[in-house]
PDB file of all heavy atoms in Angstrom:
ATOM      1  N   THR A   5       9.520 -14.725  15.696  1.00  0.00           N
ATOM      2  CA  THR A   5       9.799 -14.505  14.202  1.00  0.00           C
ATOM      3  C   THR A   5       9.233 -13.248  13.785  1.00  0.00           C
ATOM      4  O   THR A   5       9.765 -12.489  13.081  1.00  0.00           O
ATOM      5  CB  THR A   5       9.319 -15.717  13.415  1.00  0.00           C
ATOM      6  OG1 THR A   5       9.857 -16.952  13.995  1.00  0.00           O
ATOM      7  CG2 THR A   5       9.694 -15.585  11.966  1.00  0.00           C
ATOM      8  N   ARG A   7       8.628 -10.653  15.645  1.00  0.00           N
ATOM      9  CA  ARG A   7       9.433  -9.473  16.080  1.00  0.00           C
ATOM     10  C   ARG A   7      10.650  -9.266  15.247  1.00  0.00           C
ATOM     11  O   ARG A   7      11.042  -8.250  15.043  1.00  0.00           O
ATOM     12  CB  ARG A   7       9.768  -9.729  17.518  1.00  0.00           C
ATOM     13  CG  ARG A   7       8.649  -9.523  18.459  1.00  0.00           C
ATOM     14  CD  ARG A   7       9.099  -9.706  19.981  1.00  0.00           C
ATOM     15  NE  ARG A   7       7.921  -9.611  20.813  1.00  0.00           N
ATOM     16  CZ  ARG A   7       7.802 -10.173  21.961  1.00  0.00           C
ATOM     17  NH1 ARG A   7       8.845 -10.987  22.458  1.00  0.00           N
ATOM     18  NH2 ARG A   7       6.805 -10.095  22.721  1.00  0.00           N
ATOM     19  N   VAL A   9      10.918 -10.085  12.060  1.00  0.00           N
ATOM     20  CA  VAL A   9      10.533  -9.550  10.783  1.00  0.00           C
ATOM     21  C   VAL A   9      10.266  -8.008  10.923  1.00  0.00           C
ATOM     22  O   VAL A   9      10.614  -7.263  10.121  1.00  0.00           O
ATOM     23  CB  VAL A   9       9.362 -10.326  10.292  1.00  0.00           C
ATOM     24  CG1 VAL A   9       8.667  -9.503   9.022  1.00  0.00           C
ATOM     25  CG2 VAL A   9       9.644 -11.689   9.996  1.00  0.00           C
ATOM     26  N   LEU A  10       9.472  -7.646  11.973  1.00  0.00           N
ATOM     27  CA  LEU A  10       9.134  -6.299  12.185  1.00  0.00           C
ATOM     28  C   LEU A  10      10.349  -5.378  12.455  1.00  0.00           C
ATOM     29  O   LEU A  10      10.507  -4.245  12.087  1.00  0.00           O
ATOM     30  CB  LEU A  10       8.114  -6.100  13.284  1.00  0.00           C
ATOM     31  CG  LEU A  10       6.699  -6.638  13.041  1.00  0.00           C
ATOM     32  CD1 LEU A  10       5.783  -6.599  14.153  1.00  0.00           C
ATOM     33  CD2 LEU A  10       6.159  -5.887  11.840  1.00  0.00           C
ATOM     34  N   ALA A  13      12.140  -5.027   9.191  1.00  0.00           N
ATOM     35  CA  ALA A  13      11.353  -4.119   8.354  1.00  0.00           C
ATOM     36  C   ALA A  13      11.561  -2.556   8.847  1.00  0.00           C
ATOM     37  O   ALA A  13      11.716  -1.600   8.081  1.00  0.00           O
ATOM     38  CB  ALA A  13       9.873  -4.302   8.298  1.00  0.00           C
ATOM     39  N   MET A  16      15.093  -1.499   7.825  1.00  0.00           N
ATOM     40  CA  MET A  16      15.138  -1.182   6.455  1.00  0.00           C
ATOM     41  C   MET A  16      14.388   0.107   6.148  1.00  0.00           C
ATOM     42  O   MET A  16      14.871   0.967   5.281  1.00  0.00           O
ATOM     43  CB  MET A  16      14.544  -2.259   5.568  1.00  0.00           C
ATOM     44  CG  MET A  16      14.718  -2.045   4.144  1.00  0.00           C
ATOM     45  SD  MET A  16      16.349  -1.820   3.626  1.00  0.00           S
ATOM     46  CE  MET A  16      17.118  -3.379   3.817  1.00  0.00           C
ATOM     47  N   LEU A  19      16.726   2.872   7.231  1.00  0.00           N
ATOM     48  CA  LEU A  19      17.845   3.021   6.349  1.00  0.00           C
ATOM     49  C   LEU A  19      17.438   3.682   5.034  1.00  0.00           C
ATOM     50  O   LEU A  19      18.208   4.596   4.519  1.00  0.00           O
ATOM     51  CB  LEU A  19      18.499   1.656   6.055  1.00  0.00           C
ATOM     52  CG  LEU A  19      19.358   1.013   7.172  1.00  0.00           C
ATOM     53  CD1 LEU A  19      19.694  -0.318   6.765  1.00  0.00           C
ATOM     54  CD2 LEU A  19      20.548   1.819   7.356  1.00  0.00           C
ATOM     55  N   ALA A  20      16.313   3.297   4.470  1.00  0.00           N
ATOM     56  CA  ALA A  20      15.893   3.912   3.205  1.00  0.00           C
ATOM     57  C   ALA A  20      15.543   5.251   3.446  1.00  0.00           C
ATOM     58  O   ALA A  20      15.842   6.130   2.477  1.00  0.00           O
ATOM     59  CB  ALA A  20      14.612   3.057   2.698  1.00  0.00           C
ATOM     60  N   THR A  27      20.984  11.339  -0.031  1.00  0.00           N
ATOM     61  CA  THR A  27      21.235  11.469  -1.505  1.00  0.00           C
ATOM     62  C   THR A  27      20.446  12.476  -2.175  1.00  0.00           C
ATOM     63  O   THR A  27      20.603  12.590  -3.438  1.00  0.00           O
ATOM     64  CB  THR A  27      21.094  10.065  -2.053  1.00  0.00           C
ATOM     65  OG1 THR A  27      19.831   9.716  -1.857  1.00  0.00           O
ATOM     66  CG2 THR A  27      22.144   9.038  -1.486  1.00  0.00           C
ATOM     67  N   PHE A  31      14.932  17.855  -7.208  1.00  0.00           N
ATOM     68  CA  PHE A  31      13.912  17.022  -7.963  1.00  0.00           C
ATOM     69  C   PHE A  31      14.091  17.437  -9.461  1.00  0.00           C
ATOM     70  O   PHE A  31      14.419  18.527  -9.827  1.00  0.00           O
ATOM     71  CB  PHE A  31      12.411  17.336  -7.567  1.00  0.00           C
ATOM     72  CG  PHE A  31      12.107  16.806  -6.178  1.00  0.00           C
ATOM     73  CD1 PHE A  31      11.889  17.647  -5.138  1.00  0.00           C
ATOM     74  CD2 PHE A  31      12.183  15.448  -5.844  1.00  0.00           C
ATOM     75  CE1 PHE A  31      11.552  17.146  -3.923  1.00  0.00           C
ATOM     76  CE2 PHE A  31      11.873  14.963  -4.675  1.00  0.00           C
ATOM     77  CZ  PHE A  31      11.562  15.821  -3.680  1.00  0.00           C
ATOM     78  N   ASP A  34      10.034  17.737 -13.977  1.00  0.00           N
ATOM     79  CA  ASP A  34       8.681  17.048 -14.236  1.00  0.00           C
ATOM     80  C   ASP A  34       8.102  16.843 -12.832  1.00  0.00           C
ATOM     81  O   ASP A  34       6.866  16.591 -12.737  1.00  0.00           O
ATOM     82  CB  ASP A  34       8.860  15.708 -14.915  1.00  0.00           C
ATOM     83  CG  ASP A  34       9.336  16.043 -16.360  1.00  0.00           C
ATOM     84  OD1 ASP A  34       9.182  17.168 -16.788  1.00  0.00           O
ATOM     85  OD2 ASP A  34       9.812  15.085 -17.023  1.00  0.00           O
ATOM     86  N   HIS A  38       2.805  17.950 -10.404  1.00  0.00           N
ATOM     87  CA  HIS A  38       1.673  17.731  -9.450  1.00  0.00           C
ATOM     88  C   HIS A  38       1.760  18.745  -8.292  1.00  0.00           C
ATOM     89  O   HIS A  38       0.737  18.973  -7.676  1.00  0.00           O
ATOM     90  CB  HIS A  38       1.717  16.311  -8.891  1.00  0.00           C
ATOM     91  CG  HIS A  38       2.797  15.951  -8.162  1.00  0.00           C
ATOM     92  ND1 HIS A  38       3.998  15.612  -8.589  1.00  0.00           N
ATOM     93  CD2 HIS A  38       2.898  15.955  -6.711  1.00  0.00           C
ATOM     94  CE1 HIS A  38       4.836  15.298  -7.591  1.00  0.00           C
ATOM     95  NE2 HIS A  38       4.205  15.565  -6.470  1.00  0.00           N
ATOM     96  N   ALA A  42      -1.219  20.815  -6.614  1.00  0.00           N
ATOM     97  CA  ALA A  42      -1.409  20.785  -5.150  1.00  0.00           C
ATOM     98  C   ALA A  42      -1.500  22.228  -4.564  1.00  0.00           C
ATOM     99  O   ALA A  42      -2.315  22.482  -3.686  1.00  0.00           O
ATOM    100  CB  ALA A  42      -0.292  19.955  -4.482  1.00  0.00           C
ATOM    101  N   GLN A  44      -2.570  24.739  -6.221  1.00  0.00           N
ATOM    102  CA  GLN A  44      -3.843  25.310  -6.582  1.00  0.00           C
ATOM    103  C   GLN A  44      -4.928  24.775  -5.574  1.00  0.00           C
ATOM    104  O   GLN A  44      -5.849  25.552  -5.262  1.00  0.00           O
ATOM    105  CB  GLN A  44      -4.242  24.853  -7.891  1.00  0.00           C
ATOM    106  CG  GLN A  44      -3.430  25.586  -9.061  1.00  0.00           C
ATOM    107  CD  GLN A  44      -3.851  25.063 -10.394  1.00  0.00           C
ATOM    108  OE1 GLN A  44      -3.641  23.884 -10.758  1.00  0.00           O
ATOM    109  NE2 GLN A  44      -4.383  26.041 -11.232  1.00  0.00           N
ATOM    110  N   LEU A  46      -4.566  24.078  -2.446  1.00  0.00           N
ATOM    111  CA  LEU A  46      -4.315  24.875  -1.218  1.00  0.00           C
ATOM    112  C   LEU A  46      -4.940  26.256  -1.289  1.00  0.00           C
ATOM    113  O   LEU A  46      -5.357  26.856  -0.272  1.00  0.00           O
ATOM    114  CB  LEU A  46      -2.847  24.996  -0.832  1.00  0.00           C
ATOM    115  CG  LEU A  46      -2.146  23.707  -0.375  1.00  0.00           C
ATOM    116  CD1 LEU A  46      -0.671  23.924  -0.220  1.00  0.00           C
ATOM    117  CD2 LEU A  46      -2.877  23.269   0.917  1.00  0.00           C
ATOM    118  N   PRO A  51      -9.685  19.774  -8.437  1.00  0.00           N
ATOM    119  CA  PRO A  51      -9.512  19.010  -9.763  1.00  0.00           C
ATOM    120  C   PRO A  51     -10.723  18.932 -10.494  1.00  0.00           C
ATOM    121  O   PRO A  51     -11.785  18.791  -9.832  1.00  0.00           O
ATOM    122  CB  PRO A  51      -8.827  17.701  -9.355  1.00  0.00           C
ATOM    123  CG  PRO A  51      -8.404  17.867  -7.969  1.00  0.00           C
ATOM    124  CD  PRO A  51      -9.170  18.974  -7.332  1.00  0.00           C
ATOM    125  N   GLY A  59      -5.727  12.977 -14.164  1.00  0.00           N
ATOM    126  CA  GLY A  59      -6.094  11.731 -13.540  1.00  0.00           C
ATOM    127  C   GLY A  59      -5.238  11.341 -12.307  1.00  0.00           C
ATOM    128  O   GLY A  59      -5.006  10.183 -12.099  1.00  0.00           O
ATOM    129  N   VAL A  65      -3.587  15.550  -3.601  1.00  0.00           N
ATOM    130  CA  VAL A  65      -4.058  15.557  -2.259  1.00  0.00           C
ATOM    131  C   VAL A  65      -2.951  15.280  -1.259  1.00  0.00           C
ATOM    132  O   VAL A  65      -2.714  15.988  -0.225  1.00  0.00           O
ATOM    133  CB  VAL A  65      -5.225  14.658  -1.958  1.00  0.00           C
ATOM    134  CG1 VAL A  65      -5.584  14.487  -0.545  1.00  0.00           C
ATOM    135  CG2 VAL A  65      -6.546  15.216  -2.759  1.00  0.00           C
ATOM    136  N   ARG A  71       2.142  19.888   2.127  1.00  0.00           N
ATOM    137  CA  ARG A  71       2.525  21.260   2.113  1.00  0.00           C
ATOM    138  C   ARG A  71       1.741  21.998   3.188  1.00  0.00           C
ATOM    139  O   ARG A  71       2.172  23.007   3.826  1.00  0.00           O
ATOM    140  CB  ARG A  71       2.150  21.960   0.805  1.00  0.00           C
ATOM    141  CG  ARG A  71       3.060  21.483  -0.244  1.00  0.00           C
ATOM    142  CD  ARG A  71       2.770  22.283  -1.585  1.00  0.00           C
ATOM    143  NE  ARG A  71       3.984  22.215  -2.489  1.00  0.00           N
ATOM    144  CZ  ARG A  71       5.049  22.902  -2.312  1.00  0.00           C
ATOM    145  NH1 ARG A  71       5.176  23.738  -1.307  1.00  0.00           N
ATOM    146  NH2 ARG A  71       6.042  22.849  -3.086  1.00  0.00           N
ATOM    147  N   LEU A  73       0.736  20.667   6.132  1.00  0.00           N
ATOM    148  CA  LEU A  73       1.332  20.349   7.408  1.00  0.00           C
ATOM    149  C   LEU A  73       2.780  20.828   7.700  1.00  0.00           C
ATOM    150  O   LEU A  73       3.101  21.368   8.773  1.00  0.00           O
ATOM    151  CB  LEU A  73       1.371  18.793   7.552  1.00  0.00           C
ATOM    152  CG  LEU A  73       0.095  17.980   7.696  1.00  0.00           C
ATOM    153  CD1 LEU A  73       0.234  16.627   7.595  1.00  0.00           C
ATOM    154  CD2 LEU A  73      -0.516  18.442   9.012  1.00  0.00           C
ATOM    155  N   VAL A  74       3.650  20.805   6.602  1.00  0.00           N
ATOM    156  CA  VAL A  74       5.043  21.129   6.759  1.00  0.00           C
ATOM    157  C   VAL A  74       5.433  22.562   6.481  1.00  0.00           C
ATOM    158  O   VAL A  74       6.214  23.258   6.987  1.00  0.00           O
ATOM    159  CB  VAL A  74       5.908  20.095   6.043  1.00  0.00           C
ATOM    160  CG1 VAL A  74       7.375  20.520   6.137  1.00  0.00           C
ATOM    161  CG2 VAL A  74       5.728  18.722   6.530  1.00  0.00           C
ATOM    162  N   VAL A  84       7.440  13.352   1.523  1.00  0.00           N
ATOM    163  CA  VAL A  84       6.479  12.453   0.874  1.00  0.00           C
ATOM    164  C   VAL A  84       7.225  11.325   0.042  1.00  0.00           C
ATOM    165  O   VAL A  84       6.907  10.163   0.265  1.00  0.00           O
ATOM    166  CB  VAL A  84       5.503  13.279  -0.042  1.00  0.00           C
ATOM    167  CG1 VAL A  84       4.698  12.274  -0.928  1.00  0.00           C
ATOM    168  CG2 VAL A  84       4.513  14.049   0.790  1.00  0.00           C
ATOM    169  N   ALA A  86      10.426  10.411   0.395  1.00  0.00           N
ATOM    170  CA  ALA A  86      11.255   9.571   1.264  1.00  0.00           C
ATOM    171  C   ALA A  86      10.412   8.582   2.045  1.00  0.00           C
ATOM    172  O   ALA A  86      10.801   7.455   2.100  1.00  0.00           O
ATOM    173  CB  ALA A  86      12.079  10.497   2.124  1.00  0.00           C
ATOM    174  N   GLY A  88       7.471   7.474   1.116  1.00  0.00           N
ATOM    175  CA  GLY A  88       6.960   6.366   0.177  1.00  0.00           C
ATOM    176  C   GLY A  88       8.034   5.330  -0.119  1.00  0.00           C
ATOM    177  O   GLY A  88       7.709   4.221  -0.100  1.00  0.00           O
ATOM    178  N   ALA A  95       7.828  -2.835   3.331  1.00  0.00           N
ATOM    179  CA  ALA A  95       6.876  -3.692   2.750  1.00  0.00           C
ATOM    180  C   ALA A  95       7.542  -4.894   2.065  1.00  0.00           C
ATOM    181  O   ALA A  95       7.117  -5.979   2.054  1.00  0.00           O
ATOM    182  CB  ALA A  95       5.824  -3.019   1.980  1.00  0.00           C
ATOM    183  N   VAL A  98       8.923  -7.382   4.627  1.00  0.00           N
ATOM    184  CA  VAL A  98       7.899  -8.202   5.132  1.00  0.00           C
ATOM    185  C   VAL A  98       7.466  -9.271   4.060  1.00  0.00           C
ATOM    186  O   VAL A  98       7.357 -10.469   4.414  1.00  0.00           O
ATOM    187  CB  VAL A  98       6.660  -7.314   5.557  1.00  0.00           C
ATOM    188  CG1 VAL A  98       5.477  -8.156   5.932  1.00  0.00           C
ATOM    189  CG2 VAL A  98       7.100  -6.446   6.798  1.00  0.00           C
ATOM    190  N   THR A 101      10.288 -11.892   3.413  1.00  0.00           N
ATOM    191  CA  THR A 101      10.361 -12.865   4.598  1.00  0.00           C
ATOM    192  C   THR A 101       9.142 -13.812   4.598  1.00  0.00           C
ATOM    193  O   THR A 101       9.348 -14.953   4.991  1.00  0.00           O
ATOM    194  CB  THR A 101      10.490 -12.203   5.961  1.00  0.00           C
ATOM    195  OG1 THR A 101       9.406 -11.265   6.116  1.00  0.00           O
ATOM    196  CG2 THR A 101      11.866 -11.394   5.914  1.00  0.00           C
ATOM    197  N   LEU A 103       7.418 -14.764   1.915  1.00  0.00           N
ATOM    198  CA  LEU A 103       7.623 -15.756   0.753  1.00  0.00           C
ATOM    199  C   LEU A 103       8.756 -16.740   0.966  1.00  0.00           C
ATOM    200  O   LEU A 103       8.632 -17.881   0.651  1.00  0.00           O
ATOM    201  CB  LEU A 103       7.840 -14.938  -0.472  1.00  0.00           C
ATOM    202  CG  LEU A 103       6.700 -14.182  -1.083  1.00  0.00           C
ATOM    203  CD1 LEU A 103       7.119 -13.317  -2.215  1.00  0.00           C
ATOM    204  CD2 LEU A 103       5.685 -15.132  -1.654  1.00  0.00           C
TER     205      LEU A 103
END
Side-chain angles (χ1 to χ4, degrees):
T5 308
R7 286 186 185 147
V9 171
L10 291 178
M16 185 55 69
L19 285 173
T27 60
F31 292 115
D34 293 345
H38 69 276
Q44 286 178 299
L46 288 175
V65 170
R71 289 186 159 288
L73 289 172
V74 178
V84 166
V98 171
T101 55
L103 287 171

